[in-house]
Amino acid sequence: MLLDALARTSADVAATSARLRKTELIAECLRQSRPAEVPIVVAYLAGELPQGSIGVGWAGLRELPPPAGTPALEALEVDAAVARIASISGKGSQAARRAELADLFGRATEREQRFLRSLLLGELRQGALEGVMLDAVAKAAGRPAAEIRRATMLAGNVGAVAASALGGSDAGLDGFRLTVFRPVKPMLAQTAEDLPSALTRLNPAAIEWKLDGARLQVHRLGDEVRAYTRNLADVTDRVPEVVQTVLGLRAESLVLDGEAIALKPDGTPHRFQLTMSRFGSRNDADKGKSVPLSTFFFDLLHIDGEDVLDRPARERLAILDRLVPPRSRVPRIEAMTHADAESALAEALAKGHEGVMVKALDAPYEAGRRGGSWLKLKPTHTLDLVVLAAEWGHGRRTGKLSNLHLGARDPATGGFVMLGKTFKGMTDAMLAWQTEKLLELEERRDSYVVHVRPELVVEVAFDGVQTSRRYPGGVALRFARVKGYRPDKGPGEADTIDTVRAIHEGSA
């Protein structure tokens, strides 16, 4: 398949907001793909690289050759080139990467270059979310969507399932079963506005502390234990404490879901970044080993040859409680009244944790899905910040200023300190308005960023503040999203960098 066909499909998918039309477009593209191309087509149309991030940034894409005139680049050729770029390391690697990128982009048309640039930078936002992709695979293969979803849940890879489903074998999907040491995508939660609404939606329900740790799925077979992150990366060598905890359980085979978190002597959590230092580079991980990780499990998917993920949560949790001692379980109560739930939330917050999870006791474990039977509730922080610049959007946001650069006021200098970026939380109407407004405030621009006079104040919600070497203030916001603009406030009324640092210190 030509890359041009993928670029055209991507543009068409981005141009429509109708889920059914998106599904039809992707399904037709999949039908035209050869078997070896299917995993690549699935990944690219989902805005991902099969190789993951390969370390190519804007700097590496600034000087590229002129586009080719005629489409001739095959998807398999692009995948091979990306694999080569990902493997380049050591002395002279930058020059070698530039040469590979120049060769690849020199063979691409203008449309293909735009598609490749967005793909390599992880900015291909076209609305082809996993749910749409799964429906498209089902439509292309003529299989029930439920079969495709379940196979993907167990495989942890849409591309592999698509290749199997489109291969024409009725038995192909039967090979995707829960297998120890083959991690599955974790179940995710939706967000609840408050406890009363959550308990109205889910009843009966358990209230569980929401820990701000590292999500881990832990597999055991005999004396071998493997630990996987929420992205299914094997991090066993980084978490020996977790391995020892699981080896101490009385079972032959297990698949557990839980959290690893660094705790202070009083039981309150260290900063999230200290926990995550155990999962970063080798040097960071070695430095972080001076602070041990505590392990807390909250669900069970498999035990001693039996898959239990389809059983109601009440049954899974009963087995978990018999197997795992309280010190290694996430604190949990069954919510009998709203007062019980409020008490659990207050206790979790008092211990320095994020909030609570509300989980339906009669629901199965929906691996890989943001199921409605899990709801998360955590208080959020908000700040009034100043827009310092904005980046041009991609996909449906092409032609709109989308990714905002956010700054806090610095009383010492009278300037502003950048805290990070966000493109989340914006409606189409907000995008149109802010594009027009920011262009009125433009001071200068480069290839993809418009720098503006710091006059526009925006209210931003975020989950926390973390240490950052990337930004001059030494801190950055976690999971920032726009709540709305504050035309009633001027830049002199924006929150200060001192306030941000105080929030950071408060989570130390």
Side-chain angles (χ1 to χ4, degrees), residues 1-7 9-11 13 26 29-30 33 36-52 54 73-85 104 112 115-120 122-129 133 158-159:
M1 171 174 283
L2 290 175
L3 183 67
D4 181 70
L6 286 175
T9 299
S10 175
V13 169
I26 296 172
C29 192
L30 287 169
S33 305
E37 296 170 333
V38 169
I40 300 167
V41 170
V42 168
Y44 285 8
L45 290 181
E48 301 171 350
L49 296 171
Q51 296 83 1
I54 63 169
L73 196 56
E74 296 276 347
L76 287 171
E77 293 178 291
V78 175
D79 183 64
V82 171
R84 289 194 299 272
I85 293 168
L104 176 62
E112 291 169 333
F115 179 74
L116 276 175
R117 184 180 288 106
S118 296
L119 189 62
L120 291 172
E123 296 181 353
L124 192 65
R125 304 181 187 101
Q126 57 205 353
L129 301 176
M133 185 62 69
V158 183

Side-chain angles (χ1 to χ4, degrees), residues 2-178:
L2 290 175
L3 183 67
D4 181 70
L6 286 175
R8 287 177 181 272
T9 299
S10 175
D12 290 343
V13 169
T16 180
S17 60
R19 181 186 175 103
L20 182 60
R21 181 59 179 156
K22 289 179 186 287
T23 301
E24 291 171 347
L25 288 166
I26 296 172
E28 181 58 31
C29 192
L30 287 169
R31 292 189 194 101
Q32 296 173 8
S33 305
R34 291 173 289 179
E37 296 170 333
V38 169
I40 300 167
V41 170
V42 168
Y44 285 8
L45 290 181
E48 301 171 350
L49 296 171
Q51 296 83 1
S53 175
I54 63 169
V56 173
W58 276 102
L61 299 177
R62 282 178 179 163
E63 297 181 8
L64 294 172
T70 304
L73 196 56
E74 296 276 347
L76 287 171
E77 293 178 291
V78 175
D79 183 64
V82 171
R84 289 194 299 272
I85 293 168
S87 68
I88 295 172
S89 62
K91 187 176 180 180
S93 60
Q94 288 189 350
R97 280 174 173 248
R98 283 196 297 270
E100 283 282 359
L101 286 167
D103 178 69
L104 176 62
F105 275 79
R107 298 170 60 199
T109 65
E110 184 177 356
R111 185 198 336 268
E112 291 169 333
Q113 283 193 357
R114 289 197 304 268
F115 179 74
L116 276 175
R117 184 180 288 106
S118 296
L119 189 62
L120 291 172
L121 294 174
E123 296 181 353
L124 192 65
R125 304 181 187 101
Q126 57 205 353
L129 301 176
E130 184 171 283
V132 173
M133 185 62 69
L134 294 177
D135 287 347
V137 171
K139 189 175 185 67
R143 304 293 292 265
E147 288 185 8
I148 301 297
R149 289 193 196 96
R150 180 165 180 79
T152 302
M153 171 183 82
L154 299 175
N157 186 310
V158 183
V161 171
S164 181
L166 291 165
S169 170
D170 289 339
L173 296 180
D174 294 338
F176 297 107
R177 295 187 174 92
L178 183 58

Side-chain angles (χ1 to χ4, degrees), residues 299-320:
D299 218 323
L300 176 74
L301 284 65
H302 172 95
I303 182 168
D304 291 339
E306 181 185 1
D307 295 343
V308 297
L309 72 171
D310 289 325
R311 292 169 67 172
R314 188 186 298 279
E315 296 182 19
R316 301 196 311 273
L317 295 175
I319 301 170
L320 183 76

Side-chain angles (χ1 to χ4, degrees), residues 227-411:
Y228 306 92
T229 66
R230 64 186 299 152
N231 295 323
L232 312 187
D234 188 332
V235 291
T236 307
D237 60 337
R238 310 290 178 92
V239 289
E241 309 98 318
V242 177
V243 172
Q244 289 305 310
T245 295
V246 174
L247 285 174
L249 303 178
R250 300 183 64 179
E252 178 64 20
S253 63
L254 285 170
V255 177
L256 294 156
D257 196 356
E259 298 267 349
I261 186 169
L263 297 178
K264 301 174 186 176
D266 64 359
T268 59
H270 282 288
R271 287 183 186 146
F272 176 75
Q273 281 184 298
L274 187 55
T275 293
M276 293 311 296
S277 68
R278 294 286 294 271
F279 303 90
S281 67
R282 292 287 179 181
N283 288 338
D284 286 343
D286 290 340
K287 292 176 184 175
K289 284 182 180 177
S290 60
V291 178
L293 294 177
S294 298
T295 310
F296 295 93
F297 294 110
F298 53 74
D299 218 323
L300 176 74
L301 284 65
H302 172 95
I303 182 168
D304 291 339
E306 181 185 1
D307 295 343
V308 297
L309 72 171
D310 289 325
R311 292 169 67 172
R314 188 186 298 279
E315 296 182 19
R316 301 196 311 273
L317 295 175
I319 301 170
L320 183 76
D321 289 351
R322 291 195 296 269
L323 176 73
V324 179
R327 67 178 180 275
S328 297
R329 296 199 307 263
V330 174
R332 180 187 72 246
I333 65 165
E334 182 171 348
M336 304 302 294
T337 67
H338 285 188
D340 294 335
E342 293 287 356
S343 177
L345 174 60
E347 187 176 4
L349 294 175
K351 283 291 187 179
H353 297 293
E354 285 192 309
V356 294
M357 302 286 294
V358 182
K359 297 183 176 181
L361 287 169
D362 54 3
Y365 185 98
E366 300 177 271
R369 299 199 66 189
R370 195 170 292 280
S373 58
W374 282 13
L375 301 174
K376 59 184 176 183
L377 180 69
K378 54 183 181 179
T380 58
H381 305 280
T382 63
L383 289 170
D384 292 330
L385 301 174
V386 174
V387 180
L388 305 178
E391 299 173 12
W392 292 107
H394 301 276
R396 288 187 63 226
R397 296 188 175 190
T398 297
K400 300 290 192 301
L401 287 171
S402 174
N403 203 13
L404 302 180
H405 295 204
L406 303 168
R409 184 165 53 89
D410 186 350

Side-chain angles (χ1 to χ4, degrees), residues 425-465:
M426 302 173 193
T427 64
D428 289 344
M430 184 183 293
L431 282 166
W433 179 87
Q434 76 181 22
T435 299
E436 181 179 356
K437 186 65 177 177
L438 291 171
L439 288 176
E440 294 175 3
L441 299 174
E442 179 180 351
E443 290 187 320
R444 58 186 175 85
R445 68 171 69 186
D446 55 32
S447 58
Y448 68 101
V449 180
V450 175
H451 299 267
V452 300
R453 297 194 302 275
E455 297 179 8
L456 205 56
V457 177
V458 63
E459 184 180 9
V460 175
F462 60 100
D463 289 358
V465 179

